[in-house]
Amino acid sequence: MTPTGPEIEKSALIIVDMQNDFVHPEGQFGIMAKQSPERNIDLNFLSSPISRIKRLAAAFRNAGRPVIYVAHVLKSDYSDAAFPYWRRERPNNSQFIVEGTWGAKIIDELNPEEGEHLVVKKGYGGFSNTSLDTILRTLGVTTCVVTGVTTCTCVSTTIRGGVEKNYRMIIVGDGTADTQREAHEHELKTMARVFGDVKTTDEVIDLLARRAPCR
């Protein structure tokens, strides 16, 4: 078989978990960073992709390519949670990524535009028990350009799920982040070795400008 790369002209931008509770200073991760320094949450790094994702979203829209949001949103009692939340004690008053709360909303800087899809997931992966695959196939997408947080968990799980459904994956290295920079960098090496192409924001925008016609 002749190796072929991603098809940027048939791509969609996937924005994973850019929600207030994850990346806003007043969200739950921001609160944990201040109250529990032993967790080593680097909130500045975690929120660093915001401006680059904003640039990517504008470039995809300008090229007439889909921008799709994935968000982790749960019932207040976590009865629909599909991840091991039980491994940590959850305070009784915790509203972390609970539906209807400010923390579960996409940050203001990256609000979806009218007509754009927001896919709600209950676990780590954007493809697991969601409509994401159906949306992408209906739109004729073959390549997913993935951004967001966190690199080692929800971004990584979404990428692996996409690979299992035969999508071509591009991971935007500077458009993703984790609570710790070192963990992020190690995960990108795994992604590049096995699962997809790791590119910078500038590289993706350049590739999109050269191969996908603008509106």
Side-chain angles (χ1 to χ4, degrees):
M1 295 178 62
T2 302
T4 57
E7 297 176 319
I8 198 70
E9 68 277 6
K10 298 180 180 179
S11 65
L13 180 66
I14 311 295
I15 301 174
V16 178
D17 290 0
M18 293 301 290
Q19 298 160 256
N20 289 313
D21 269 342
F22 289 115
V23 298
H24 194 284
E26 297 177 12
Q28 288 294 314
F29 271 39
I31 293 170
M32 285 191 290
K34 296 172 187 174
Q35 296 181 348
S36 304
E38 71 277 5
R39 294 191 179 188
N40 296 316
I41 297 174
D42 186 344
L43 191 66
N44 287 333
F45 178 61
L46 188 62
S47 61
S48 64
I50 293 174
S51 61
R52 290 184 281 272
I53 296 174
K54 189 173 182 177
R55 287 179 58 213
L56 285 162
F60 270 74
R61 290 166 182 147
N62 187 51
R65 300 309 307 159
V67 176
I68 299 173
Y69 292 77
V70 175
H72 202 167
V73 182
L74 303 171
K75 296 288 187 183
S76 59
D77 61 358
Y78 274 34
S79 58
D80 55 348
F83 68 99
Y85 65 93
W86 42 265
R87 294 188 67 225
R88 288 183 181 271
E89 183 178 356
R90 179 171 174 251
N92 291 331
N93 62 348
S94 174
Q95 292 291 295
F96 179 57
I97 56 173
V98 167
E99 62 183 7
T101 65
W102 170 84
K105 294 182 181 298
I106 303 296
I107 59 171
D108 288 343
E109 296 94 322
L110 296 174
N111 268 332
E113 294 194 351
E114 185 176 356
E116 291 178 341
H117 291 279
L118 174 61
V119 176
V120 171
K121 61 185 176 66
K122 303 300 180 177
Y124 296 139
F127 285 93
S128 181
N129 299 312
T130 73
S131 59
L132 181 56
D133 181 48
T134 298
I135 292 168
L136 293 173
R137 294 191 187 282
T138 300
L139 295 174
V141 171
T142 65
T143 297
C144 299
V145 178
V146 184
T147 64
V149 298
T150 60
T151 313
C152 298
T153 308
C154 294
V155 171
S156 174
T157 306
T158 298
I159 289 165
R160 293 164 194 251
V163 168
E164 290 179 345
K165 294 183 180 298
N166 290 320
Y167 289 100
R168 306 175 189 202
M169 310 301 288
I170 294 175
I171 308 96
V172 186
D174 59 357
T176 57
D178 210 292
T179 56
Q180 298 173 13
R181 187 183 298 267
E182 184 178 8
H184 161 82
E185 291 174 350
H186 281 302
E187 189 65 26
L188 288 184
K189 290 179 181 178
T190 299
M191 292 291 106
R193 182 170 59 87
V194 181
F195 296 103
D197 295 342
V198 176
K199 296 186 179 295
T200 67
T201 295
D202 288 341
E203 287 173 337
V204 171
I205 291 175
D206 180 65
L207 190 62
L208 192 67
R210 288 189 287 112
R211 297 180 57 182
C214 295
R215 288 179 175 174

